[in-house]
Amino acid sequence: QVQLVESGGGLVQVGGSLNLSCAASGRIFSINYMAWYRQAPGKQRESVAIITSGDTTNYADSVKGRFTISRDNAKNTVYLQMNSLKPEDTAVYYCNAGVRESLITMRYSNYWGQGTQVTVSS
């Protein structure tokens, strides 16, 4: 099994910054993509940013230029640096990863973290 544990959420004022982290642990042979999603109250979960094993990144239009996703493969960790935060960024942020658990297992399984709350106050 694989566990994803997020940290770094909290309460911040408009225009402030937060840096989220998500560490993967457990049965890991390799990690393909790592991503961040968010879900605001009453809304569907949406993709925020994704980074591939080749460090290709993609962002939702709403966060381009403000958020930066990065990863440390040695630590199996993905980060989300969030700057110029807005009230509409308030949500529970979830980590997501595609993990290959062993040399024998050819497929990648999708895993989710438990989420971390980000609240931007005006």
Side-chain angles (χ1 to χ4, degrees), residues 1 4-6 12 15 23 27-28 31 45 48 50-51 53 68 75-76 81-83 88 95 97 100 107 109:
Q1 270 289 1
L4 302 180
V5 179
E6 302 102 333
V12 65
R27 189 174 172 82
I28 299 172
I31 300 177
R45 190 173 297 189
V48 175
I50 186 170
I51 184 167
S53 57
T68 302
K75 296 181 179 180
N76 291 328
Q81 177 65 43
M82 305 186 294
N83 299 327
E88 51 264 43
C95 178
R100 182 179 173 186
R107 65 182 178 88
S109 298

Side-chain angles (χ1 to χ4, degrees), residues 37-41 45 89-94 114-118:
Y37 286 72
R38 67 186 181 186
Q39 187 167 19
R45 190 173 297 189
D89 295 318
T90 295
V92 177
Y93 283 71
Y94 296 91
Q114 81 288 350
T116 185
Q117 177 70 47
V118 171

Side-chain angles (χ1 to χ4, degrees), residues 7-33:
S7 61
L11 175 65
V12 65
Q13 291 188 334
V14 170
S17 298
L18 283 175
N19 189 27
L20 305 183
S21 299
C22 171
S25 63
R27 189 174 172 82
I28 299 172
F29 177 74
S30 65
I31 300 177
N32 185 3
Y33 57 87

Side-chain angles (χ1 to χ4, degrees), residues 51-68:
I51 184 167
T52 69
S53 57
D55 286 338
T56 298
T57 59
N58 194 33
Y59 296 92
D61 288 342
S62 59
V63 306
K64 281 181 181 177
R66 300 188 298 122
F67 291 9
T68 302

Side-chain angles (χ1 to χ4, degrees), residues 23 44 72:
Q44 289 188 333
D72 184 333

Side-chain angles (χ1 to χ4, degrees), residues 70-119:
S70 61
R71 64 191 282 177
D72 184 333
N73 292 326
K75 296 181 179 180
N76 291 328
T77 298
V78 63
Y79 306 95
L80 186 67
Q81 177 65 43
M82 305 186 294
N83 299 327
S84 303
L85 283 162
K86 305 175 181 180
E88 51 264 43
D89 295 318
T90 295
V92 177
Y93 283 71
Y94 296 91
C95 178
N96 175 254
V99 179
R100 182 179 173 186
E101 296 184 28
S102 71
L103 178 63
I104 299 173
T105 303
M106 298 304 294
R107 65 182 178 88
Y108 286 86
S109 298
N110 192 48
Y111 288 95
W112 292 91
Q114 81 288 350
T116 185
Q117 177 70 47
V118 171
T119 302

